[in-house]
C-alpha cells in the first residue's frame, strides 16, 4: 500500500469516530405530541364533585320560600277554587235580548210631530216713519248743474284718421322681373294671393305692401319667372294705423326702400315722382311720430 491509501484510510476512520461520538453525546428529544398528558389526581376530582353538588343544591333551593307564610296569610292571598258568583250577577248576558229588539220600533213619519211655518208677505210701513235723505252736498268740481255729458266726450281715446305713405323705386332702365323677385324676397317680402308683395307681422297681418308701378299694379308668377319680362319700378305703400307702432313701421319701410334701390341700382321718389332727399325721409319719420302721439 502506498502512502496515499494510508492517508485516506486514516481520514475515514477519524470521520467515522467523530460521527459516532457526536450521536452519542446528542441529547434525546421527544415529540411534544407524543408526550402523554398526566392523569388527574384523585384530590382534584373530589373537589370538582363537591363544587357541582353545592351548585345543584343552590339551584334547587331557589324554588322554596325562605320565610314560611302563615295559614291566615295564605288564605287572604290565595284564591279559593270554589269561589261562587253572586246570584245578582247570574242573569247578566252579553247578547241583546231578542224580545227587547222586537219591542223597539222606529217612530213612523205619520206619528212624528209636524211644524207648520206661516209666512206673511204683506209689508206694511210703520206709522209715523218717513224715509229721509241725508243732508250731504256732493262736490260739483266746477261743473255746472245743467251740464250733460255727450257720447263723444265720454271716450278717452280720440280716433285718428287713416294716413297713407308711399315711396317709388325706379331706375334709368327697367328692372328684370327675375331680379326683382330675388331682391324683394331677400328683404322679407312675400307674394300674396292678391298679386302684390307684402310684409307681415308676427300675427300674419299685412303692414307694408309693394305693388307694380304698371297697371293694374300686380305681379304674376309667370311674369316673375319670365326672363323677357321687366318693370320700370315698384311702389311701397304704408297705411296707418297698423298693428305695429307708426314710427317703427315707417322706419322699416324707409330701410326697405333703400335696400331695394341699392340692389336694383335705382333711386327713391315720392308719390309725385320727385327725387327723395334725406330731409324728406326725416319729415316722414316725424309725421309717423306725430301720428302715434295723436293716437294716444
Amino acid at each position: 500500500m502506498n502512502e496515499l491509501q494510508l492517508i485516506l484510510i486514516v481520514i475515514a476512520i477519524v470521520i467515522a469516530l467523530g460521527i459516532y461520538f457526536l450521536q452519542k453525546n446528542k441529547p434525546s428529544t421527544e415529540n411534544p405530541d407524543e408526550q402523554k398528558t398526566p392523569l388527574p389526581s384523585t384530590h382534584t376530582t373530589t373537589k370538582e364533585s363537591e363544587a357541582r353538588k353545592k351548585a345543584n343544591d343552590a339551584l334547587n333551593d331557589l324554588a322554596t320560600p325562605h320565610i314560611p307564610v302563615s295559614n291566615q296569610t295564605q288564605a287572604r292571598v290565595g284564591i279559593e277554587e270554589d269561589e261562587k258568583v253572586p246570584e245578582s250577577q247570574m242573569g247578566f248576558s252579553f247578547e241583546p235580548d231578542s224580545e227587547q229588539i222586537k219591542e223597539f220600533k222606529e217612530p213612523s213619519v205619520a206619528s212624528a210631530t209636524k211644524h207648520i211655518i206661516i209666512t206673511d208677505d204683506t209689508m206694511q210701513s210703520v206709522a209715523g216713519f218717513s224715509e229721509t235723505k241725508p243732508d250731504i252736498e256732493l262736490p260739483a268740481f266746477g261743473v255746472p248743474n245743467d251740464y250733460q255729458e255727450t257720447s263723444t266726450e265720454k271716450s278717452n281715446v280720440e280716433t285718428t284718421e287713416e294716413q297713407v305713405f308711399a315711396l317709388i323705386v325706379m331706375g334709368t332702365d327697367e328692372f328684370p322681373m327675375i331680379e326683382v323677385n330675388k331682391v324683394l324676397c331677400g328683404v322679407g317680402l312675400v307674394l300674396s294671393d292678391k298679386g302684390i308683395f307684402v310684409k307681415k307681422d308676427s300675427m300674419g297681418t299685412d303692414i307694408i305692401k309693394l305693388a307694380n308701378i304698371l297697371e293694374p299694379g300686380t305681379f304674376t308668377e309667370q311674369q316673375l319667372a319670365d326672363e323677357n319680362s321687366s318693370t320700370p319700378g315698384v311702389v311701397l305703400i304704408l297705411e296707418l294705423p297698423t298693428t305695429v307702432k307708426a314710427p317703427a313701421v315707417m322706419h322699416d319701410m324707409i330701410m326697405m326702400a333703400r335696400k331695394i334701390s341699392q340692389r336694383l341700382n335705382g333711386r327713391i321718389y315720392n308719390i309725385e315722382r320727385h327725387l327723395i332727399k334725406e330731409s324728406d325721409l326725416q319729415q316722414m319719420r316725424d309725421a309717423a311720430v306725430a301720428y302715434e302721439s295723436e293716437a294716444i
Side-chain angles (χ1 to χ4, degrees):
M1 298 177 64
N2 53 12
E3 295 179 357
L4 181 60
Q5 292 178 350
L6 291 174
I7 293 170
L8 292 174
I9 292 170
V10 172
I11 291 171
I13 293 170
V14 172
I15 292 171
L17 291 174
I19 293 171
Y20 172 75
F21 284 110
L22 287 174
Q23 291 181 354
K24 187 176 181 181
N25 295 329
K26 186 177 180 180
S28 61
T29 57
E30 296 181 356
N31 191 358
D33 296 336
E34 295 179 356
Q35 294 180 358
K36 296 181 180 180
T37 57
L39 296 174
S41 61
T42 309
H43 182 67
T44 306
T45 306
T46 306
K47 287 183 178 181
E48 290 180 357
S49 61
E50 290 179 357
R52 290 179 181 177
K53 185 177 180 181
K54 289 181 180 180
N56 292 331
D57 295 340
L59 292 174
N60 294 329
D61 292 340
L62 290 176
T64 59
H66 297 282
I67 301 174
V69 181
S70 61
N71 296 330
Q72 186 178 0
T73 304
Q74 185 70 24
R76 287 193 304 173
V77 175
I79 299 174
E80 297 180 0
E81 295 180 358
D82 298 335
E83 185 177 0
K84 296 182 180 180
V85 180
E87 295 180 358
S88 59
Q89 299 180 3
M90 293 296 291
F92 292 163
S93 61
F94 296 97
E95 296 180 359
D97 192 0
S98 60
E99 295 180 358
Q100 294 179 359
I101 294 174
K102 293 180 180 180
E103 292 178 358
F104 176 77
K105 294 181 180 179
E106 294 183 357
S108 60
V109 179
S111 62
T113 305
K114 296 182 179 180
H115 299 278
I116 300 173
I117 299 174
I118 301 174
T119 58
D120 188 4
D121 294 337
T122 59
M123 302 295 292
Q124 297 180 359
S125 60
V126 180
F129 176 77
S130 61
E131 184 179 0
T132 58
K133 296 182 180 180
D135 298 334
I136 299 175
E137 294 182 0
L138 298 176
F141 298 105
V143 180
N145 297 329
D146 56 350
Y147 175 77
Q148 295 181 356
E149 293 182 354
T150 59
S151 59
T152 57
E153 291 175 348
K154 290 181 180 179
S155 61
N156 296 326
V157 180
E158 296 181 358
T159 58
T160 56
E161 297 180 357
E162 295 183 358
Q163 294 186 12
V164 180
F165 298 88
L167 292 175
I168 300 174
V169 178
M170 293 190 304
T172 55
D173 298 329
E174 292 188 355
F175 304 136
M177 280 293 188
I178 296 177
E179 191 67 21
V180 171
N181 186 22
K182 292 180 181 179
V183 172
L184 297 183
C185 293
V187 296
L189 295 172
V190 293
L191 185 63
S192 65
D193 298 336
K194 297 180 180 180
I196 60 175
F197 284 87
V198 295
K199 180 181 180 181
K200 299 182 179 182
D201 60 1
S202 59
M203 301 299 293
T205 306
D206 300 342
I207 55 176
I208 299 175
K209 301 176 183 179
L210 187 142
N212 192 352
I213 199 171
L214 297 177
E215 294 293 339
T218 57
F219 299 91
T220 60
E221 294 181 356
Q222 291 78 8
Q223 290 177 349
L224 296 174
D226 189 3
E227 296 180 355
N228 298 324
S229 180
S230 61
T231 179
V234 293
V235 183
L236 286 88
I237 303 170
L238 173 60
E239 297 178 358
L240 296 179
T242 62
T243 55
V244 184
K245 291 185 177 181
V249 70
M250 179 63 73
H251 176 74
D252 291 345
M253 188 185 73
I254 293 173
M255 295 303 297
M256 189 178 295
R258 284 181 173 178
K259 291 179 181 179
I260 294 172
S261 63
Q262 290 175 0
R263 296 178 184 180
L264 293 177
N265 295 325
R267 292 185 176 183
I268 303 175
Y269 299 87
N270 59 11
I271 196 65
E272 297 175 356
R273 298 199 179 184
H274 294 162
L275 188 63
I276 285 287
K277 300 177 182 179
E278 188 64 31
S279 59
D280 298 332
L281 296 177
Q282 187 61 38
Q283 289 179 1
M284 294 175 65
R285 290 191 178 95
D286 296 340
V289 173
Y291 182 88
E292 188 69 23
S293 61
E294 291 177 0
I296 297 175

